Amino acid sequence: MSAAQAPDRTNGARPYIVCDNLVKIYKTEDLEVVALQGLDLEVQRGEMMAIIGNSGSGKSSLLNVLGGLDRPTAGQCRVGDLDILQASESDLVDYKRHHVGFVWQQSSRNLVPYLTAFENVRLPMLFGNMRKASDRSRSLLRAVGLEDRMHHRLSQLSGGQQQRVAIAISLANDPDLLLADEPTGEVDTQTAGQIYDILRYLNRERGLTIIIVSHDRNIARQVDRVVAIRDGRTSTETVRRVSIHEDGEDHTHDEFVIVDDTGRLQVPQEMLDQLSIRGRALVDMEGDRIVIRPGASGISTVAASRAAPGPDDGAAESSADQAVVPARVELAQSVVPARRPAPAPPKPSRPAREPSKRDRPRDVPDEHRPFAPPSSGDARDD
């Protein structure tokens, strides 16, 4: 019995595609949408990988940047020797014409409806002034299994056949990179399998680097690596492992979270939901592992750990998350309104002051009263 992993295409070589802290902001008059928020990605030459994510996660924006259709707002995006951010317009035109091919989900973006399959494939070669355009067109249509349908118009082709014509068109100018945005989104499961077979054949036989954008997480069975994007950043990476045994092959997948240069990572959402982790979390070292547990929200974790029941209180042994959450309740119950201070006793009233001699009425003879000063006890007659 022997076992082998998926082929390693790196060989210590420099990555073919490098995105470092990539940012893309779309601006209108009164609105800014941040599509990519510091995304990091590396792709080796000759790799077949997929990028998945929910709507609005930024995967199509990444594809537009890699294809030279949009310039990044900040960060680095390099494909081969071309820096997408710093490249001139003429360099971008040459890149899109000779080095990258596109396959879109909607056939209307890939094909000219009034031309035959053969004429559609030959058209970009004519713009690129390629020699022997007719011979190459026939060769590409044979490669995608449409040798007997090459002179049919689009109305005479099924949706899967139209998408295979689109793949042939994307290869017309012999690109190094193929970008496919939901290439199987409008076809049935059987046809989707045929399209993936064609893409794997092109990747294996021609060494073509292929990046597929999809909503379907089951695409991990079709490619060597899957990178998940969430909120404009790389979240997780799933690598397919192939074990070869005497009885056949076994395919397994290892899922990794992406840790950037600053130590930030995105924990899969389903794990956060399962443990009800919101806002804060406790991070501990246990041997060679980093453990994340739900943390108290809105209170100090130090105070929570002190309020948690310990072994001296007769409490059973519990996990760290169980010790923190009840502490919040205990802290809340321990907060009681402070007692109001007793009112101060009223100050004793001062005894009435006895009238002084000045205030006492003076005995003045009647004949002298008009000439004497008035006193509090006298009333002057006006």
Side-chain angles (χ1 to χ4, degrees):
M1 180 180 297
S2 62
Q5 295 182 347
D8 182 11
R9 300 178 185 274
T10 62
N11 295 325
R14 176 186 179 187
Y16 176 53
I17 297 175
V18 175
C19 297
D20 184 12
N21 199 25
L22 187 63
V23 177
K24 177 58 183 177
I25 302 176
Y26 294 97
K27 297 181 179 181
T28 60
E29 294 181 357
D30 54 353
L31 182 65
E32 288 188 358
V33 177
V34 183
L36 300 175
Q37 306 183 45
L39 180 139
D40 298 321
L41 178 68
E42 291 186 357
V43 181
Q44 298 295 330
R45 185 180 293 275
E47 185 177 1
M48 181 174 176
M49 64 162 299
I51 298 174
I52 63 174
N54 297 328
S55 298
S57 60
K59 56 186 185 302
S60 294
S61 299
L62 173 61
L63 212 65
N64 290 337
V65 171
L66 293 177
L69 302 179
D70 285 333
R71 288 183 185 268
T73 305
Q76 180 186 10
C77 180
R78 179 177 55 79
V79 181
D81 296 327
L82 179 69
D83 188 335
I84 300 294
L85 180 61
Q86 303 295 335
S88 64
E89 290 298 330
S90 60
D91 289 339
L92 284 179
V93 170
D94 180 78
Y95 169 70
K96 289 181 285 187
R97 181 175 293 177
H98 298 290
H99 299 281
V100 62
F102 293 91
V103 179
W104 307 105
Q105 178 180 355
Q106 299 84 5
S107 59
S108 59
R109 298 188 63 179
N110 299 308
L111 310 173
V112 180
Y114 52 82
L115 297 180
T116 64
F118 173 80
E119 292 168 340
N120 268 282
V121 176
R122 188 179 59 173
L123 183 62
M125 301 183 196
L126 298 179
F127 286 110
N129 296 322
M130 292 190 66
R131 298 180 178 179
K132 300 182 178 180
S134 297
D135 293 340
R136 180 168 175 78
S137 299
R138 296 187 185 93
S139 175
L140 291 174
L141 288 170
R142 281 195 297 268
V144 298
L146 291 178
E147 182 178 8
D148 58 339
R149 311 284 288 179
M150 64 176 61
H151 296 295
H152 288 67
R153 298 187 182 276
L154 299 186
S155 58
Q156 300 172 303
L157 301 176
S158 65
Q161 290 172 339
Q162 292 182 18
Q163 200 67 309
R164 282 189 274 171
V165 174
I167 294 174
I169 293 174
S170 69
L171 303 175
N173 290 335
D174 196 19
D176 303 312
L177 173 64
L178 177 63
L179 304 176
D181 190 359
E182 298 278 1
T184 60
E186 295 186 346
V187 298
D188 57 79
T189 304
Q190 181 179 359
T191 305
Q194 296 174 355
I195 292 175
Y196 285 130
D197 289 341
I198 294 172
L199 293 176
R200 279 196 300 270
Y201 167 80
L202 296 172
N203 169 254
R204 183 176 61 253
E205 298 298 328
R206 303 191 178 206
L208 187 64
T209 305
I210 301 177
I211 299 178
I212 304 172
V213 163
S214 176
H215 285 89
D216 186 11
R217 292 185 175 273
N218 293 326
I219 196 175
R221 303 174 182 175
Q222 309 290 344
V223 297
D224 298 329
R225 183 165 65 109
V226 176
V227 173
I229 295 181
R230 193 173 78 200
D231 299 328
R233 296 180 60 85
T234 49
S235 174
T236 61
E237 178 177 310
T238 303
V239 179
R240 180 167 62 96
R241 305 292 182 183
V242 181
S243 299
I244 303 176
H245 305 278
E246 295 177 355
D247 299 333
E249 295 182 354
D250 291 334
H251 296 257
T252 59
H253 297 84
D254 297 329
E255 186 173 10
F256 304 90
V257 293
I258 307 301
V259 183
D260 64 13
D261 294 337
T262 62
R264 293 175 298 186
L265 59 84
Q266 288 193 5
V267 181
Q269 189 64 46
E270 56 271 17
M271 295 183 182
L272 298 177
D273 294 339
Q274 185 176 357
L275 296 179
S276 299
I277 296 180
R278 293 290 185 275
R280 297 182 179 184
L282 296 174
V283 182
D284 297 323
M285 286 286 296
E286 292 186 0
D288 59 349
R289 294 179 297 177
I290 298 177
V291 180
I292 303 176
R293 297 186 177 93
S297 176
I299 63 173
S300 171
T301 55
V302 176
S305 61
R306 289 176 180 173
D312 295 338
D313 301 329
E317 183 179 356
S318 59
S319 61
D321 55 333
Q322 293 172 340
V324 173
V325 177
R328 189 189 316 172
V329 179
E330 292 184 12
L331 289 180
Q333 292 175 349
S334 65
V335 177
V336 295
R339 294 182 178 179
R340 297 182 179 178
K347 296 181 179 180
S349 58
R350 295 182 179 180
R353 184 173 57 89
E354 295 182 0
S356 63
K357 292 182 179 181
R358 177 181 297 178
D359 297 330
R360 295 175 184 174
R362 292 171 292 180
D363 297 333
V364 180
D366 291 341
E367 62 269 24
H368 294 162
R369 189 175 293 278
F371 306 100
S375 63
S376 59
D378 301 334
R380 177 175 294 180
D381 297 334
D382 294 336

